[in-house]
Amino acid sequence: MAEGIAFDIAGWLISELSSPVLEQLCLWWNFEDDLDDLKSTISAIKAVLLDAEKQSVASESVKDWLAKLKDAMYDAEDVLDDVRTEALRKNLMSGNKFTKEVRVCFSRSNPFIYGLKMGRKIKAIKARFTSIQSQANMLNLVQRDHPVETSFMDKRRQQSHSFVSKGEIIGRDDDKAALLRLLLEFQSEENVYVIPIVGIGGLGKTALAQLVYNDEMVKNHFELRIWVCVSDVFYVRTIVENIIKSVTDQEPGKNLEMDQLQKQLRDKIDGKKYLLVLDDIWNEEREPWISLKKLLMGGAKGSRIIVTTRSTRVAKVTSKCQPHVLRGLSDDDAWFLFKEIAFEQRCADSTNSGFVEIGKQILERCRGVPLVIRTIASTLSFKETETEWLSFKDNELARISQRDGEILPTLRLSYDHLPSQLKHCFAYCRLYPKDHEFDVQILVRMWIALGFVKQSNSSESLEEIGFEYFKCLVERSFFQEVEEDERWGVTCKMHDLMHDLAESVAGKESCILDSSTSEIDEKCRHVSIDFSLMHLLKGKKLRSLLKFSSRYECMNDANWDLIISNCRCLRVLELRELELDTVPRSIHKLKHLRYLDLSWNHLKILPKSICKMQNLQVLKLDFCRRLEELPKKIEKLVNLTHLPLDGCALTHMPRGIGKLTSLQTLSMFVVDKDGSHGAAAADLSELSQLNNLRGELTIRNLGFVKNAREKFKAANLKGKQHLRELVLEWSGDSEDEEKSLEDLQPHPNLRKLQVIEWRGDAKFPSWISLLTHLVDIKIWGPSKFKHLRSFSRLPHLQRLIIFNLSELESMDGSEPSGGQDESESFFPSLKRLHLEECPNMKSWWRKSPIDNDKDGDKDRRASTMAFPCLSYLRIENCPLSSMPLYPSVEDELILVNTSSRPLKHTIQMSDTTPTGLRHAKRIPAKDDFS
């Protein structure tokens, strides 16, 4: 069994107590003896921790002892963090380097009072640990050597597992065929027929429903397909709102009465043949179901509702028909799934009789449940020898007394075998409701803020390591439904059983405070809360305070007072969508805070005191649409790493922001338009040293930059190698020879580029040909560009949008030679092309051979220039009379007020016409009638 969380925390405390910084402070305050005693006591406790964690499975007294120990260790962490924070604050005030000037820093501002206060706290902590150590002696805990093993991160690199779990749906062909018959062929007396899928947790009911839901025959058979997760709480209103949202892709209006909602619902589904999946229903009461069913009966004949549930009682309540009962996988399918995962990196072992025999014996205990097979097989895939597999089977697995329907103990084994770094991370997910869609980036940043992510060397950032943690949890099936979106990043979900496991292992340390909870334990460290219940909040030791519900709530002064007076140890505070107008000045008293989310609020200004929160790593201000400025002295936030500002109304950036060299996210930099903010406003040169920036950077008001050539070069965009998306917004009068795009050259690693309202010279910068990693370009006018050379040679460009370039004459200022080389290099990867409002663009090249030659030879030569990958083409109000061929367009072809000649030429000169189009539209142009 891997070491536990308490063992990990104890190691961190010993390391922290031995740090040179703390030793210097203790000498100054004269409590080094107390610190040495504390270190010795914790070391002695750590020696018996492995034995304690093993005994805690069967001994309540040992379990209680561990709980007291962890509580004491958390309190010790808070005290040490307090000391470090005060040291950092004094260092920033003095302006001197901490390692050289600790004594000088603490010679001001009543240092002895603070020292006495800390001394008392450390003595109290020492006394608690001494008492805990004596209790350990009474429990007869023995010292166990910690096994020497490869570090977790190194082991992951050796294993190199796939990101997505193998074999998502195995052995369900017969189940799928049976459901398809009920959906497509079975004739029901009722217009809307309900089909329940019943089975124990982990069998794959949801996966089977998804398999059927996404089948092509099903897509073509039903006019509407709707998916709604129901889970624990069966609220008819919530389900109706989610159905409307699924159909329209929009939230229904706020504060609507139920009568208005049901009218919206009926308007969307009545008279239409629909398929509705109600996933994971627990409600066994008939009346709520009848209330919902009445609203759903207006569908056209042949409509179907699939219900997934663990309860046969739910199946009887929802439908008169015989439910489809899902069973465990067959022996062959179960073994196929097991060996795909357990032997993924060691193919030879899959034929080794020793491994195979042990594996099949272990598999018998999985009872054909795919979730259990995946988690156990994933755990075994990290074990190298037959001895380890045998130990797992004979010791841990043999201890489980598993009755029908009880698979949580087996999943607990997988948790026990997680590296200690991952146990914290997994248990933390208990704070979110079932069926929650996790934003992995947010989750990882919270893990970092709470100290769960450990950095063994500086070659990888904490965020990269945190994402590795996530991938390992995915590989071990603790997360599922992982999706990666270009805009929204990586998201995932957690199976209900895994959520139950997270709740179990988190114990009293984490809690969801909603209408069903009356109180929380005093030792609770992490809370997810409905803010209307803030008056029930007591925990003074809280480290996380998250918003539980997704609906809009209000935050009042009383809630602020409760947070600031009661929650001084907070590391993570999420206050998004609470209609906040102001943030109190006293927020700086939350000095341990690392992660603060104030996004989607009505803030106009932030208090200056927020700059006293030197530990702050993440300050989320996205879509605070009234926020006009950031606080002065922002450079004091020396640990700030992420400052997302999308959707804010900032008028300028504060001077000093360029000193925050740890920044990885700065989504927007705004140039002061009229200079009204004087010396308080930062200029572009403050971007110079921010070379750790990642993701997207939008620079606004470039047209107002003074001494542009100097400032553009000083911004050092070329030095930002991690930046992936750059948006250059001009606005204002940019007709100035000095303001050249050439001086804003980005790093060649850039993947997306937007240029908006550039009114300078007519030449696109030469550096575009160097951006060989570009996949997306958008040029928004008005601009003076006449030609956009070199775009066609970009090897990875997939999307090109050109809008409102009134002077654009052609895309390329050269003539095509028609040779094979051009054919191979001409937009080799372009998938989407959108040209709109370019009234002077008559041909693709400055001189089009198609228009000027009638002998046919040059027509054929020009035809070798084609878009080999283009699947989407939209041309509006561009009088193109010739352009390269586009025979592969399949998604959309939209031609509005443009010539039909390119389309005709495509059809004539290519072997195939554009087929399989999902959407096509053409509005005639004048030349169609000439």
Side-chain angles (χ1 to χ4, degrees), residues 151-286:
S151 74
F152 161 61
M153 289 303 291
D154 289 340
K155 201 166 190 178
R156 275 213 82 257
R157 293 189 186 95
Q158 293 167 16
Q159 294 283 342
S160 184
H161 277 242
S162 61
F163 182 84
V164 180
S165 298
K166 296 277 189 182
E168 285 298 320
I169 302 176
I170 288 175
R172 296 303 185 195
D173 292 344
D174 291 343
D175 295 290
K176 178 183 177 182
L179 286 171
L180 287 177
R181 284 194 294 272
L182 289 173
L183 289 174
L184 308 177
E185 301 172 12
F186 177 71
Q187 298 298 317
S188 166
E189 295 179 3
E190 297 179 298
N191 282 4
V192 182
Y193 185 66
V194 182
I195 306 166
I197 302 175
V198 180
I200 64 172
L203 277 178
K205 299 181 295 296
T206 299
L208 176 60
Q210 288 172 335
L211 187 64
V212 171
Y213 184 85
N214 291 310
D215 184 86
E216 285 300 322
M217 290 188 295
V218 170
K219 289 180 181 179
N220 295 328
H221 185 78
F222 292 99
E223 193 174 349
L224 287 176
R225 292 180 308 128
I226 310 159
W227 186 288
V228 174
C229 289
V230 180
S231 202
D232 293 356
V233 183
F234 193 95
Y235 288 145
V236 174
R237 179 189 178 91
T238 302
I239 296 170
V240 169
E241 288 175 340
N242 286 332
I243 293 173
I244 294 171
K245 182 180 176 181
S246 180
V247 172
T248 64
D249 287 328
Q250 294 179 344
E251 295 275 1
K254 294 180 187 177
N255 304 318
L256 293 179
E257 298 293 333
M258 188 61 199
D259 185 58
Q260 295 171 295
L261 285 171
Q262 65 92 11
K263 286 179 180 176
Q264 278 194 27
L265 174 63
R266 288 183 167 174
D267 181 58
K268 301 301 179 186
I269 69 172
D270 280 6
K272 297 176 182 176
K273 185 160 64 174
Y274 69 79
L275 168 62
L276 167 63
V277 177
L278 295 174
D279 187 38
D280 194 23
I281 292 185
W282 289 80
N283 167 65
E284 296 183 346
E285 301 299 322
R286 186 174 298 276

Side-chain angles (χ1 to χ4, degrees), residues 265-528:
L265 174 63
R266 288 183 167 174
D267 181 58
K268 301 301 179 186
I269 69 172
D270 280 6
K272 297 176 182 176
K273 185 160 64 174
Y274 69 79
L275 168 62
L276 167 63
V277 177
L278 295 174
D279 187 38
D280 194 23
I281 292 185
W282 289 80
N283 167 65
E284 296 183 346
E285 301 299 322
R286 186 174 298 276
E287 287 307 313
W289 168 251
I290 296 300
S291 298
L292 176 63
K293 188 176 180 181
K294 286 179 181 177
L295 304 177
L296 301 173
M297 290 298 103
K301 193 167 184 62
S303 294
R304 297 288 188 263
I305 299 175
I306 293 177
V307 168
T308 71
T309 180
R310 296 189 206 176
S311 166
T312 54
R313 168 70 180 164
V314 170
K316 290 177 182 177
V317 167
T318 56
S319 177
K320 298 175 184 176
C321 82
Q322 194 71 16
H324 183 86
V325 179
L326 201 58
R327 308 293 182 187
L329 296 179
S330 68
D331 291 345
D332 289 343
D333 288 330
W335 176 245
F336 178 81
L337 177 59
F338 179 89
K339 71 177 184 180
E340 278 286 289
I341 300 170
F343 300 123
E344 182 182 3
Q345 298 298 315
R346 307 191 307 275
C347 294
D349 294 343
S350 64
T351 58
N352 180 301
S353 60
F355 274 105
V356 170
E357 183 181 352
I358 299 167
K360 289 191 173 180
Q361 290 173 9
I362 291 172
L363 187 60
E364 288 177 9
R365 300 298 301 275
C366 297
R367 296 167 47 243
V369 179
L371 180 63
V372 178
I373 295 170
R374 285 197 185 96
T375 54
I376 295 299
S378 297
T379 299
L380 292 170
S381 72
F382 286 87
K383 299 188 179 300
E384 304 289 340
T385 66
E386 286 185 46
T387 303
E388 288 178 293
W389 279 44
L390 197 61
S391 174
F392 181 87
K393 176 183 78 73
D394 292 341
N395 296 320
E396 288 114 295
L397 197 61
R399 286 200 302 268
I400 296 176
S401 174
Q402 190 169 311
R403 297 187 297 272
D404 286 345
E406 291 186 0
I407 62 176
L408 205 60
T410 312
L411 298 181
R412 172 67 193 242
L413 283 182
S414 299
Y415 169 81
D416 289 339
H417 282 260
L418 281 177
S420 60
Q421 300 97 317
L422 303 187
K423 290 183 177 180
H424 275 305
C425 298
F426 171 69
Y428 192 71
C429 298
R430 177 267 184 277
L431 290 176
Y432 295 89
K434 288 181 178 178
D435 293 317
H436 176 77
E437 184 174 72
F438 292 90
D439 182 317
V440 175
Q441 187 183 75
I442 289 175
L443 192 60
V444 167
R445 290 176 184 175
M446 287 182 176
W447 291 345
I448 292 169
L450 291 160
F452 297 164
V453 180
K454 304 298 182 185
Q455 190 176 35
S456 56
N457 60 67
S458 57
S459 62
E460 278 189 302
S461 70
L462 284 171
E463 204 149 329
E464 289 170 330
I465 296 170
F467 196 68
E468 289 295 317
Y469 286 12
F470 165 74
K471 288 197 283 188
C472 187
L473 288 168
V474 171
E475 289 159 4
R476 295 168 185 246
S477 294
F478 287 89
F479 291 112
Q480 61 181 25
E481 295 186 45
V482 179
E483 294 184 7
E484 189 166 2
D485 182 82
E486 183 180 322
R487 179 173 177 81
W488 303 112
V490 180
T491 61
C492 68
K493 288 189 175 183
M494 182 177 279
H495 192 280
D496 282 359
L497 282 172
M498 284 299 181
H499 190 280
D500 292 340
L501 177 61
E503 185 174 350
S504 171
V505 299
K508 295 179 180 179
E509 285 186 16
S510 298
C511 173
I512 293 177
L513 189 55
D514 59 13
S515 56
S516 63
T517 313
S518 57
E519 59 181 5
I520 61 173
D521 191 270
E522 289 183 356
K523 295 179 182 178
C524 185
R525 302 282 171 169
H526 310 287
V527 168
S528 185

